[in-house]
Amino acid sequence: MKAVSRCLLFLFASVMFACRDTPSDPEQSPAPPPVVKAVYVLNEGNFGDATGARLSLYDVDRDTVYINVYESANNGAHLGSVGDDLKIVNGRVYMLMSGSENLNVIGLDSNVVLQAASFPGATPHDLLIDSTRNRAYVTRLYSSSIFVLHLTSLSVVDSVTVGANPQGMVLNGNNLFVCNSGYGSSRTVSVVDVLADTVKRTLTLADGPTNAALAPDGKLWVVCTGNAFGTPATTGKVFIINTTTFAVEDSITFSENLWGTIAMGIDGYAYVLGISSGSFYGGPMHRISLATRNVALGFVAGTFYGIAVDAVSGDVYLTDVKNFSANGEVLIHTKEGVLKKRFNVQRGPSVMAFKR
């Protein structure tokens, strides 16, 4: 499950998951033709559905959506359960599943599986690829640690102990910043020296550090969800960190909890998601000026689960999982916040990546 605000879900999981019907497979679409511009969407699927994770593809030039992309290209084989992370690097698409605890790699042009790895008992959650050093890093959600993988073989070469429930990671130079969410109860970010695979510094911020992103000026923006069930309860914060001195240079406090996702725009803004009243699956999109730190609350209204920015157009892509009660959709907004396109995908759209 993608966002740390699932700390809310843990209290309701037995009810919510028990009420969901396991859907039959969506109607199979033909395998996509070669595409020039595309948006890959990793759909989590229902929690507990052993084959529920799905890959959808939006062909930008043809304005066409293809579903079950992995199954179509691989003789009906399934990705696994609970698709949590997706990266495109050097002509390969990497897809990480926390439920079935596996990583699948397909060719960007063929969608045919090239590699696969399994991590039994690890509950892998977030993936970061360092192709320069031929390494990949995987957070182990319930083990307070990260795996270091050899990128060519996908074998585990090291493990580094970090904080509780590690999720999002950012690499800057030789420093890997790991957000230790604690599902709202942790307050730390571990700074891992990737040359030694050891923690060199631990930063203490606020409740629920979940994800981070680098701004164009090299500063690290860290989203903390807050803890609605803490004593006292706390709300969300965003911290701006100097990646050289590791000092907190600024922070932004919200009056509500945050969902734990962040994306950098191309025009001087950062985007984070809040939590809608009565929802356990995200909230409206807020926009923050990188220069002034001013916040436009509810810049795009809705209940959104995932967010990504097209680094070419600046368009903002938002996913709506519709409470996992039906197949979800992706909504594309201009950087001015105007809705320009929406398209249906599959159950639980979570993470997106772009082919350009």
Side-chain angles (χ1 to χ4, degrees):
M1 302 171 199
K2 198 62 198 166
V4 75
S5 297
R6 299 265 191 146
C7 62
L8 300 172
L9 282 180
F10 282 176
L11 298 181
F12 301 99
S14 60
V15 175
M16 297 299 292
F17 293 143
C19 290
R20 295 186 201 160
D21 293 328
T22 300
S24 59
D25 284 350
E27 183 179 348
Q28 182 67 45
S29 69
V35 297
V36 177
K37 298 178 181 179
V39 183
Y40 283 76
V41 183
L42 182 61
N43 305 276
E44 285 187 6
N46 270 350
F47 187 81
D49 182 349
T51 61
R54 293 287 191 274
L55 182 66
S56 306
L57 183 152
Y58 173 55
D59 183 334
V60 176
D61 293 329
R62 297 182 179 92
D63 191 25
T64 302
V65 177
Y66 297 89
I67 64 171
N68 294 333
V69 173
Y70 185 86
E71 286 78 3
S72 296
N74 295 283
N75 299 315
H78 292 295
L79 280 170
S81 174
V82 189
D84 263 335
D85 211 353
L86 168 71
K87 296 290 189 296
I88 296 177
V89 178
N90 293 337
R92 294 183 168 215
V93 183
Y94 295 79
M95 295 164 289
L96 186 67
M97 268 55 65
S98 64
S100 50
E101 302 183 318
N102 63 298
L103 173 65
N104 289 320
V105 185
I106 61 175
L108 183 58
D109 294 322
S110 67
N111 300 311
V112 172
V113 65
L114 303 175
Q115 281 182 286
S118 181
F119 311 103
T123 317
H125 193 273
D126 280 73
L127 173 69
L128 186 145
I129 295 174
D130 179 7
S131 58
T132 300
R133 298 183 180 87
N134 203 36
R135 288 289 184 267
Y137 302 90
V138 173
T139 56
R140 304 179 64 196
L141 189 58
Y142 301 124
S143 302
S144 300
S145 65
I146 62 172
F147 274 153
V148 183
L149 308 183
H150 188 280
L151 187 57
T152 301
S153 65
L154 300 183
S155 60
V156 177
V157 297
D158 209 343
S159 179
V160 182
T161 299
V162 289
N165 307 112
Q167 295 200 47
M169 298 175 285
V170 168
L171 181 65
N172 183 56
N174 295 327
N175 296 320
L176 179 69
F177 295 85
V178 183
C179 297
N180 304 308
S181 71
Y183 281 111
S185 65
S186 178
R187 301 171 62 87
T188 67
V189 171
S190 299
V191 185
V192 176
D193 180 348
V194 297
L195 299 181
D197 289 338
T198 58
V199 174
K200 63 188 293 185
R201 187 77 65 93
T202 299
L203 313 180
T204 301
L205 302 179
D207 290 342
T210 308
N211 269 295
L214 281 175
D217 63 0
K219 302 297 172 58
L220 184 73
W221 287 54
V222 181
V223 179
C224 297
T225 61
N227 188 349
F229 302 103
T231 307
T234 57
T235 58
K237 287 189 174 184
V238 174
F239 288 85
I240 295 90
I241 309 295
N242 185 306
T243 53
T244 301
T245 65
F246 306 119
V248 175
E249 294 194 347
D250 205 350
S251 64
I252 303 163
T253 300
F254 289 76
S255 60
E256 62 177 14
N257 291 106
L258 296 177
W259 185 238
T261 52
I262 183 169
M264 283 291 163
I266 66 172
D267 57 347
Y269 294 97
Y271 303 95
V272 299
L273 299 181
I275 297 179
S276 296
S277 177
S279 172
F280 307 116
Y281 302 106
M285 184 184 79
H286 310 313
R287 188 177 76 165
I288 310 170
S289 168
L290 301 182
T292 66
R293 314 295 197 241
N294 289 336
V295 179
L297 289 173
F299 185 70
V300 175
T303 302
F304 304 115
Y305 189 77
I307 183 171
V309 172
D310 184 333
V312 176
S313 68
D315 289 343
V316 182
Y317 287 65
L318 297 163
T319 69
D320 182 351
V321 298
K322 301 185 181 299
N323 290 331
F324 286 86
S325 62
N327 287 336
E329 68 174 346
V330 175
L331 299 90
I332 308 173
H333 291 78
T334 67
K335 53 184 180 292
E336 292 79 24
V338 177
L339 178 65
K340 62 183 291 187
K341 173 73 180 178
R342 62 200 307 160
F343 57 88
N344 295 323
V345 283
Q346 293 173 266
R347 188 65 61 99
S350 177
V351 192
M352 294 165 283
F354 301 89
K355 179 184 179 183
R356 288 291 184 262

